[in-house]
Amino acid sequence: KAGVTQTPRYLIKTRGQQVTLSCSPISGHRSVSWYQQTPGQGLQFLFEYFSETQRNKGNFPGRFSGRQFSNSRSEMNVSTLELGDSALYLCASSPVGGGYEQYFGPGTRLTVT
Amino acid sequence: DAKTTQPPSMDCAEGRAANLPCNHSTISGNEYVYWYRQIHSQGPQYIIHGLKNNETNEMASLIITEDRKSSTLILPHATLRDTAVYYCIVRVGGYTNAGKSTFGDGTTLTVKP
C-alpha cells in the first residue's frame, strides 16, 4: 500500500497570507490527524477528522482549520499567517480496528517570512 | 492521556541491543503504550504498541512491567539507521482516540560505529 502523502512538501508564505495543505491517507484509513512540529514546542496535535467530521481538536487558535472529504483526503488551512506558524506540518492516518496506530506522512515544511 | 518520562538521550554501539526506557506511572487500565520514532526531518514512524503483555514485531520488542508503570523498547541489533528520536506515548485505546497522540520530548538515540 502507498503511504501517507502530503503536498506540497515545501512552502514559503508571507505574513498575513493564508495557506492550504493537503494530505492523502493510506487507502482504507478513515482517520486523518494533523500535527505541528516546531523546535520550541515539539510535536503538537492540531485536530483529527473521521468520516468527514472533526472528532478531536487540540489547543490552537481558530486560524487553524481543516476538513475531510468523502474519500478521506484532508486539507488544513491556516489563515492570517504569523511568523510563529513556521513549522513542519505532519499528517497521520489511522486504520479502523487493529491497534489504531498512526502512520505519518513526510510533512510539509512551511516557512512564513 | 497519562504523562510519560523518557531520558533525553542515549548512546548505543552498533550491533548491540538498544534498550529505551519509559516511565508512565499514572497509566490507567485502558491506556495502551505506543512507541514511535522520528528520523531527522521525516515524519514519525510507528514501531510497536502494547497493553500489558510483552510484544514483538520485526522492528522491536516491547516489555511492559507487571504493574504497567514503565516499559522498555528493545531494538535487538541496533544499526546506524536506528539513530532517531524515540517517543513513548500512552493513550486510551479504541477508535475514538485513534487520531490523537500526545508527544513528549522523546529520547534521542545515537547509534555509534
Side-chain angles (χ1 to χ4, degrees):
Chain A
K1 277 185 179 178
V4 177
T5 59
Q6 293 187 244
T7 57
R9 293 292 312 279
Y10 301 92
L11 204 50
I12 299 175
K13 288 287 188 178
T14 303
R15 191 170 47 184
Q17 290 185 314
Q18 67 95 25
V19 67
T20 299
L21 311 181
S22 181
C23 171
S24 292
I26 293 172
S27 177
H29 288 193
R30 292 163 59 190
S31 165
V32 175
S33 300
W34 289 89
Y35 292 82
Q36 180 197 66
Q37 187 171 30
T38 61
Q41 299 297 319
L43 258 166
Q44 292 187 288
F45 172 75
L46 278 157
F47 33 65
E48 181 220 359
Y49 285 86
F50 182 86
S51 293
E52 302 179 65
T53 300
Q54 189 179 85
R55 187 165 68 172
N56 287 294
K57 189 177 187 304
N59 296 320
F60 278 81
R63 299 186 296 108
F64 293 83
S65 62
R67 60 176 174 169
Q68 186 180 34
F69 302 95
S70 58
N71 62 358
S72 293
R73 190 177 70 85
S74 177
E75 290 180 346
M76 70 160 282
N77 184 79
V78 187
S79 62
T80 319
L81 284 166
E82 301 177 359
L83 296 178
D85 296 333
S86 294
L88 180 66
Y89 289 88
L90 292 156
C91 169
S93 71
S94 182
V96 176
Y100 305 103
E101 65 274 14
Q102 292 187 289
Y103 296 88
F104 286 80
T108 294
R109 173 74 62 184
L110 172 66
T111 301
V112 182
T113 62
Chain B
D1 296 338
K3 179 178 171 55
T4 62
T5 303
Q6 300 178 254
S9 64
M10 293 182 64
D11 291 341
C12 177
E14 189 176 21
R16 305 296 294 271
N19 296 285
L20 293 98
C22 179
N23 182 286
H24 31 81
S25 58
T26 60
I27 192 169
S28 301
N30 60 349
E31 289 182 312
Y32 288 70
V33 180
Y34 290 79
W35 283 83
Y36 292 83
R37 72 180 183 184
Q38 187 174 25
I39 297 169
H40 183 63
S41 295
Q42 297 181 21
Q45 177 189 24
Y46 164 76
I47 301 173
I48 198 168
H49 75 279
L51 181 61
K52 52 184 177 182
N53 297 320
N54 297 338
E55 302 288 344
T56 296
N57 63 20
E58 65 278 5
M59 288 183 65
S61 294
L62 173 60
I63 308 298
I64 302 174
T65 58
E66 192 168 344
D67 63 7
R68 302 186 68 239
K69 292 184 177 182
S70 65
S71 61
T72 301
L73 178 74
I74 301 173
L75 307 178
H77 306 286
T79 71
L80 299 178
R81 288 177 296 178
D82 291 322
T83 293
V85 179
Y86 287 77
Y87 297 98
C88 169
I89 292 163
V90 171
R91 66 168 174 82
V92 178
Y95 92 101
T96 57
N97 300 288
K100 180 180 180 182
S101 294
T102 301
F103 287 81
D105 294 331
T107 295
T108 298
L109 174 69
T110 303
V111 180
K112 299 185 174 181

